[in-house]
Amino acid sequence: MKKLRGQFHGLYWRQLSVTAGMVMLTLFLLGASFFSLSYNYARGQKSEEVMTKARVMGQLSVNYLENGRYLDIESLQNDPDFQQLASFAAIVSDVHFMICDTEGHVLLTTDKTLEGRVVTMPESMTREIMEKGSTSRRDNLDGLYETRRFVVGVPAVNPVTQEVVGVVYGVSTTASLDSMWQGFIGLFFMTAFVVLMISFMASSVTTMRQVQPIREMVQATRRYAEGDFDIRMYDYGRGDEIGELAASFNNMAESLQQTERQRREFIANISHELKTPMTTIAGYTDGILDGTIPPENERQYLQIISDESRRLSRLVRRMLDVSQLQAMDPLKTGSHFDLCESMRRVLISMERKITDRNLDVEADIPDEPILVLGDNDMITQVIYNLLENATKFAREGSTLYLGVATIDGKARVTVRNVGDTIPAEELPLLFERFHKSDKSRSEDKDGVGLGLYIVKTILEQHKEKINVTSENGVTTFTFSLTTE
């Protein structure tokens, strides 16, 4: 029961209910407005029609109602000519007439149901005719009729003296008007039913098309919560907001899957990188403690343990650096600084390493400052990592190149060395975490494989990219920064 109640409280039923409610309210308002307008119009037309016939009958009755001609009811009722005239008018016009004196006493009526009865019209109607010149209403005439009828009253006026000599009432049944409204109500409800069914079907199809992708997204998010990032939204080929949401949802899933893949690779890589020095440290330490390693060799192996401990420390420190870099936004927190000065400081700090490998340096750094936007310390780290990498893998006795030039509003930095050519298929992998080629593993035993990854991360934080080429033993790294 709770599950069923929850389904009926879903988006599908809510939207369907809102649509149905709006359609029903619209139909009700339109029906009520049309009914009211058409009813008032039909009633006005009926009133004018009956009043016109009553005025004609009033003009015909003047000669019989003028002073001195008929002094009592019997004399008017016994006039065969006038009775024939009144009956003919009632038959032709489908209206019963009541000819009354000025006090409302009925002298003659064409309604056979009232023959032989003394009838007096309501005083209020007679007074209204005398004061306003006419009356029109739906009334049962103080119980004279069982149902309400359409009653119109006009005065009979002598055209010569303009004296009111009597009152003429026209009484018409509302059967035709009622049948018309019954037919209208039936037609209205039938039309309303058809419109509602069409609206329900259209709303159901439209709502289902909107709700179905959302339901799929709910199922997908549950799968994502369980760690399954392979599920994707179906491409409905829609260009509306639902289609954009589905495309964005798939893009998010791709990003989550890639992030999860990188996380697993990172854990696997770091486990491997941590395992090697820790195994070495533990093995040599146990060998010293249990006497497997001779005392005269203990110093040598203690030195290895010390080196591996420092490498392990550097690895952990570099991983912390990467985490901090990914949380920074240097374009917001940074400022303009002199790129040339930063490059000179890096060259000075690398002097000993460059000298140890008997390398020459070709520096193409202008004397004039080049101001760039970013974080000075982070860009200095980029240049240092690139120059250190170039120094490690440069052929001994070769020349390093470090230069900067302004091109199209960008400061382009170039670091180049001469050594072994890097295979083309390996170039995209240089900036991956913990990546080491066979050559780098043999020549850079102290490295942790994060230097170039840090370079790429910093430049991505600056909304820039780094390019690398390697041909004929010449490897070149280039990146750009926005100048002031």
Side-chain angles (χ1 to χ4, degrees):
M1 180 63 69
K2 184 177 181 181
K3 183 178 180 181
L4 184 63
R5 190 185 301 112
Q7 290 180 349
F8 281 98
H9 280 81
L11 182 61
Y12 173 81
W13 291 105
R14 289 182 181 180
Q15 188 163 348
L16 191 63
S17 301
V18 170
T19 302
M22 292 299 296
V23 172
M24 294 179 65
L25 179 61
T26 302
L27 289 175
F28 173 77
L29 294 177
L30 288 176
S33 301
F34 179 76
F35 180 84
S36 176
L37 291 174
S38 58
Y39 177 79
N40 291 333
Y41 175 78
R43 180 175 176 177
Q45 291 292 104
K46 187 72 173 178
S47 176
E48 291 181 3
E49 178 185 354
V50 176
M51 188 170 293
T52 300
K53 295 175 181 179
R55 291 186 188 279
V56 173
M57 182 55 65
Q59 293 175 0
L60 296 175
S61 303
V62 169
N63 295 330
Y64 297 92
L65 292 172
E66 59 185 355
N67 293 335
R69 181 72 181 270
Y70 296 109
L71 300 178
D72 52 29
I73 297 176
E74 290 77 7
S75 59
L76 181 61
Q77 291 177 342
N78 294 328
D79 190 328
D81 296 333
F82 186 70
Q83 285 185 350
Q84 184 177 6
L85 178 63
S87 299
F88 177 76
I91 294 173
V92 172
S93 61
D94 194 24
V95 177
H96 290 298
F97 297 102
M98 295 182 183
I99 293 89
C100 308
D101 58 16
T102 55
E103 295 181 357
H105 302 297
V106 178
L107 304 177
L108 179 66
T109 178
T110 60
D111 190 348
K112 301 299 182 180
T113 61
L114 300 180
E115 288 184 354
R117 299 173 58 182
V118 178
V119 179
T120 302
M121 299 301 288
E123 183 181 356
S124 60
M125 296 181 66
T126 304
R127 186 185 311 111
E128 184 177 354
I129 295 173
M130 293 301 180
E131 293 176 355
K132 298 182 179 180
S134 66
T135 184
S136 176
R137 64 180 67 177
R138 289 187 65 188
D139 203 321
N140 63 355
L141 300 178
D142 293 338
L144 186 63
Y145 294 104
E146 294 181 358
T147 59
R148 298 172 66 186
R149 300 196 177 190
F150 203 76
V151 182
V152 173
V154 295
V157 181
N158 189 318
V160 178
T161 63
Q162 296 299 316
E163 181 183 1
V164 178
V165 296
V167 176
V168 177
Y169 287 94
V171 180
S172 175
T173 62
T174 60
S176 60
L177 196 61
D178 292 340
S179 65
M180 182 184 71
W181 293 127
Q182 290 175 358
F184 166 75
I185 292 174
L187 180 62
F188 171 76
F189 280 109
M190 183 181 68
T191 305
F193 178 77
V194 173
V195 172
L196 281 175
M197 290 299 101
I198 296 175
S199 301
F200 288 162
M201 289 186 291
S203 177
S204 178
V205 173
T206 303
T207 305
M208 184 59 68
R209 288 193 63 196
Q210 294 176 350
V211 171
Q212 185 62 31
I214 298 177
R215 289 178 176 173
E216 294 181 6
M217 292 179 191
V218 172
Q219 296 295 329
T221 52
R222 291 173 180 170
R223 297 281 295 275
Y224 294 158
E226 296 172 357
D228 182 8
F229 298 100
D230 294 330
I231 189 171
R232 295 291 182 273
M233 288 291 300
Y234 177 73
D235 185 8
Y236 293 92
R238 301 172 55 164
D240 55 5
E241 291 80 359
I242 297 295
E244 294 180 2
L245 180 59
S248 300
F249 199 86
N250 287 335
N251 292 335
M252 180 195 69
E254 291 286 348
S255 299
L256 288 174
Q257 188 176 43
Q258 183 178 1
T259 301
E260 178 65 15
R261 187 184 305 114
Q262 291 176 350
R263 184 185 68 84
R264 292 177 180 177
E265 291 177 357
F266 178 77
I267 293 175
N269 290 333
I270 195 173
S271 298
H272 175 73
E273 293 294 332
L274 291 175
K275 179 181 178 181
T276 302
M278 292 176 67
T279 302
T280 301
I281 293 172
Y284 289 158
T285 303
D286 291 341
I288 293 174
L289 292 175
D290 61 18
T292 304
I293 297 176
E296 61 272 13
N297 295 332
E298 287 183 0
R299 183 175 182 82
Q300 175 186 352
Y301 288 101
L302 286 175
Q303 183 62 48
I304 295 176
I305 293 173
S306 177
D307 293 340
E308 290 298 314
S309 298
R310 289 190 177 91
R311 192 163 77 89
L312 185 60
S313 177
R314 287 197 301 273
L315 175 61
V316 174
R317 187 169 60 251
R318 286 294 182 89
M319 289 189 296
L320 292 175
D321 291 342
V322 170
S323 299
Q324 292 175 354
L325 289 175
Q326 291 175 340
M328 295 177 61
D329 188 354
L331 295 181
K332 289 185 178 180
T333 60
S335 59
H336 289 90
F337 64 94
D338 184 5
L339 179 61
C340 297
E341 181 63 26
S342 299
M343 295 174 68
R344 295 189 191 98
R345 290 202 306 269
V346 172
L347 271 178
I348 294 173
S349 64
M350 288 289 298
E351 181 179 4
R352 182 175 178 181
K353 293 183 179 182
I354 293 173
T355 303
D356 290 343
R357 291 187 57 83
N358 298 319
L359 301 175
D360 292 331
V361 177
E362 180 184 350
D364 187 10
I365 304 175
D367 295 333
E368 296 80 9
I370 298 178
L371 298 181
V372 295
L373 176 61
D375 186 276
N376 190 3
D377 293 336
M378 295 173 70
I379 297 302
T380 300
Q381 182 69 38
V382 168
I383 300 171
Y384 184 90
N385 287 5
L386 290 177
L387 196 58
E388 182 184 36
N389 183 79
T391 302
K392 287 180 182 178
F393 300 104
R395 186 179 300 122
E396 191 169 352
S398 62
T399 301
L400 291 178
Y401 175 84
L402 177 63
V404 59
T406 304
I407 302 175
D408 297 332
K410 293 274 191 176
R412 181 173 298 177
V413 179
T414 303
V415 179
R416 183 168 57 240
N417 72 329
V418 179
D420 294 332
T421 302
I422 302 175
E425 63 274 10
E426 193 175 333
L427 290 177
L429 304 176
L430 293 178
F431 303 98
E432 296 296 327
R433 284 178 292 195
F434 304 111
H435 173 72
K436 290 184 181 181
S437 64
D438 294 337
K439 180 70 175 176
S440 64
R441 289 182 187 276
S442 62
E443 295 188 6
D444 185 24
K445 297 179 180 179
D446 293 334
V448 294
L450 287 173
L452 293 181
Y453 177 75
I454 291 176
V455 168
K456 185 188 74 168
T457 302
I458 292 176
L459 291 178
E460 286 179 347
Q461 297 295 92
H462 284 77
K463 304 298 186 290
E464 300 290 349
K465 294 182 179 180
I466 184 167
N467 299 312
V468 57
T469 60
S470 185
E471 296 179 356
N472 300 322
V474 179
T475 302
T476 305
F477 292 87
T478 59
F479 68 91
S480 300
L481 294 171
T482 303
T483 61
E484 184 181 23

